[in-house]
Amino acid sequence: MADLWGHLQEYYSVHGSDAVYVANVFYKTTTVIKHLGGSDNGIPSCTLSRTNAEIFLRDALLRYQLKVEIWAQSSAAGKGAATSSWTMKCSASPGNLQAMEDILFASSEAPEMSIIMAVSVRVRGGEKSLGIAFLDASQREIGVCEFVDNDAYSILESLLIQLSVKECLIKGTVETKDHELLQIRTLLQRCNVVVTDTKPSMFSTSDLEQDLNRLLGGENSVATRAEFELKEGMASTAALIEYLSLLSDEGNFGNYTLFQYRLSQFMKLDAAAVAALNLAPSSNDAIFMHTKPTGYNKTMSLQGLLDRCKTAQGSRLLGQWLKQPLLDIAEIRERQDMVQVFFDDMGLRES
């Protein structure tokens, strides 16, 4: 869903069917709706203060997983009179929050990472080869991997869970009759991941080498790196770069890192296992709504029970660890040793 917003000085206006949605979901009443034109047949409209807009936008993007656009009104000189026009100021989606971070988190920290993924599929001789790229804009990291999946796409499902993916780009549209894309779309929806349809041309790698060189910086070309050999993964990387318009911001140049994600380092958990084990809070729990869980809500999930972190970064790391159980015994013992140091040294722990 794309909401059409008007940013008018100290408040926001929302119109049409979106105004009805805001009235029902946010205000819980339709009495806030006014009709432009002065009659009941006019366009429904309602307004939100800046504070209410921040609250609703956080819910819309993080809880209800909607896509949002904010439009600004600008005045221009017309023929003998001033005329007004609307231009899109910014847009955001669950996996791409950067343009609205100032609004969303003006009074709070980001509750969790906003991971966006792109998937490229190649089928040869009945073998399904997937190329994955995912990006965390807050950390300026791009991860890539390739693997052969089964008919149920269980490895992809496990990866979605491990990374807590919010949005995924796929080649095609709802009308595309490709059987594999239909299966992946169904999987994404089951995992509560927003599906974003894209043109196949976005997965073109014709300019990817120079684009990545600008984002990564350094003296050596990305073409010399092992990650660049992952052709399907690179196609997905190209789609992310274009969708997020990374090259339009010079502040990104030389500040991104690229790495190959190792699937074998974590235990595979599917959506059913995470739900059955009650590892993470649901979208309705207090922790999701940017508040610390208390009382009954605190015991609703393992993360809610364990989370006594002082910062949002700590809570995000804890949630990430719970969804990514380690398999390497040496890494497990290293993590345990770090916990033991803080447990034994009260002075260090207090400081």
Side-chain angles (χ1 to χ4, degrees):
M1 175 180 177
D3 297 321
L4 179 64
W5 291 78
H7 181 208
L8 303 174
Q9 297 180 6
E10 294 303 315
Y11 66 92
Y12 291 77
S13 64
V14 59
H15 310 282
S17 60
D18 295 335
V20 177
Y21 179 85
V22 171
N24 288 325
V25 172
F26 184 75
Y27 287 114
K28 310 295 184 184
T29 176
T30 57
T31 59
V32 298
I33 294 179
K34 308 297 180 184
H35 289 84
L36 299 181
S39 68
D40 290 341
N41 294 326
I43 299 175
S45 176
C46 69
T47 60
L48 298 117
S49 67
R50 184 177 293 274
T51 299
N52 283 341
E54 290 176 6
I55 296 171
F56 176 76
L57 286 172
R58 280 199 294 269
D59 281 357
L61 287 162
L62 302 177
R63 184 181 185 186
Y64 302 119
Q65 294 194 299
L66 305 177
K67 297 180 181 180
V68 178
E69 295 177 355
I70 295 182
W71 291 66
Q73 191 177 37
S74 59
S75 296
K79 293 183 179 180
T83 60
S84 297
S85 62
W86 292 86
T87 56
M88 191 169 70
K89 181 182 177 182
C90 60
S91 62
S93 58
N96 181 23
L97 304 175
Q98 286 66 51
M100 293 190 188
E101 282 185 338
D102 292 344
I103 299 173
L104 295 173
F105 311 120
S107 57
S108 63
E109 294 182 276
E112 56 184 291
M113 294 180 293
S114 180
I115 301 294
I116 183 169
M117 176 185 284
V119 178
S120 178
V121 186
R122 185 182 71 248
V123 180
R124 290 181 179 176
E127 188 176 80
K128 302 175 182 180
S129 179
L130 274 66
I132 304 293
F134 60 91
L135 186 145
D136 178 6
S138 63
Q139 301 296 321
R140 291 180 172 174
E141 293 179 339
I142 302 173
V144 293
C145 63
E146 284 189 4
F147 52 87
V148 174
D149 214 338
N150 52 40
D151 291 338
Y153 288 104
S154 59
I155 300 177
L156 174 60
E157 180 177 2
S158 177
L159 188 58
L160 293 169
I161 298 300
Q162 288 177 10
L163 298 173
S164 298
V165 175
K166 301 300 180 187
E167 182 178 0
C168 185
L169 312 183
I170 62 175
K171 269 188 280 190
T173 65
V174 177
E175 290 75 25
T176 303
K177 300 304 180 182
D178 185 283
H179 176 68
E180 305 306 329
L181 288 181
L182 290 175
Q183 277 192 292
I184 291 176
R185 181 185 294 276
T186 301
L187 171 63
L188 293 171
Q189 292 170 342
R190 187 170 73 244
C191 293
N192 201 29
V193 176
V194 174
V195 180
T196 296
D197 298 324
T198 63
K199 298 178 181 178
S201 59
M202 289 183 63
F203 286 77
S204 170
T205 59
S206 57
D207 299 320
L208 182 61
E209 182 178 348
Q210 64 182 27
D211 292 345
L212 276 177
N213 284 336
R214 294 171 72 183
L215 291 173
L216 302 179
E219 297 180 357
N220 298 324
S221 172
V222 68
T224 64
R225 299 179 53 164
E227 293 89 350
F228 201 73
E229 298 300 318
L230 304 176
K231 299 305 180 184
E232 294 300 317
M234 287 296 101
S236 295
T237 301
L240 286 180
I241 291 174
E242 181 174 345
Y243 178 71
L244 299 173
S245 301
L246 296 184
L247 297 175
S248 64
D249 183 359
E250 292 186 2
N252 291 328
F253 295 171
N255 289 317
Y256 265 82
T257 57
L258 177 70
F259 67 96
Q260 186 170 348
Y261 187 82
R262 292 190 297 115
L263 290 168
S264 60
Q265 62 187 322
F266 304 120
M267 181 184 296
K268 293 182 176 63
L269 295 175
D270 58 18
V274 171
L277 295 172
N278 211 5
L279 294 184
S282 71
S283 60
N284 294 321
D285 290 341
I287 190 173
F288 191 89
M289 298 308 294
H290 322 288
T291 59
K292 285 292 182 181
T294 57
Y296 177 71
N297 282 327
K298 184 173 182 178
T299 61
M300 289 288 284
S301 69
L302 181 60
Q303 181 178 347
L305 184 65
L306 296 178
D307 188 5
R308 300 185 185 181
C309 301
K310 300 297 185 183
T311 65
Q313 292 95 325
S315 294
R316 288 196 293 268
L317 181 61
L318 176 62
Q320 180 182 345
W321 281 358
L322 287 174
K323 292 180 180 179
Q324 298 179 348
L326 295 172
L327 294 177
D328 186 279
I329 188 65
E331 292 184 6
I332 293 173
R333 286 174 175 164
E334 181 182 4
R335 184 177 292 178
Q336 291 174 334
D337 289 344
M338 288 190 290
V339 174
Q340 188 72 39
V341 168
F342 284 100
F343 183 81
D344 291 338
D345 193 333
M346 186 176 67
L348 176 61
R349 188 169 67 249
E350 291 295 328
S351 64

